[in-house]
Amino acid sequence: VTGVTLLCEGFSVEIAGYVPVDTAAEFAMDLSQRRASAVKDYLMAYGANPEQLTARGYGLPEQQNTEEASPRAEGAIEFIVRPEIN
């Protein structure tokens, strides 16, 4: 991810944080935001351009009707890379 910000100036990276499904709802948004922010801080410490990074906590993942467990259900971090629109 750091390489994307260093090599691809025309892209932004959203760091999307989720918490495990067994997290109490009243803590979910704050905890997911803190997780995403911690990842952003880590990437910046290794040279990622802070202007290209956005950290956003999404709280609890949406329930999905699938038999396979989603990584979001375990409290995942996702990276969403988008071209910047000028």
Side-chain angles (χ1 to χ4, degrees):
V1 174
T2 300
V4 170
T5 65
L6 294 173
L7 298 173
C8 304
E9 293 181 9
F11 288 84
S12 63
V13 178
E14 178 182 327
I15 303 159
Y18 297 91
V19 294
V21 294
D22 60 353
T23 303
E26 62 266 22
F27 302 113
M29 289 302 291
D30 180 59
L31 179 57
S32 64
Q33 181 61 52
R34 287 188 290 136
R35 284 181 168 197
S37 294
V39 172
K40 178 181 177 183
D41 291 344
Y42 179 86
L43 294 173
M44 289 185 328
Y46 283 90
N49 181 352
E51 294 178 12
Q52 290 176 269
L53 300 175
T54 304
R56 182 170 178 199
Y58 286 92
L60 293 166
E62 293 181 18
Q63 296 296 328
Q64 298 178 358
N65 294 327
T66 63
E67 293 181 21
E68 207 172 297
S70 165
R72 289 180 181 176
E74 301 299 322
I77 292 287
E78 293 180 342
F79 298 99
I80 303 161
V81 180
R82 295 184 180 103
E84 291 180 347
I85 300 172
N86 294 327

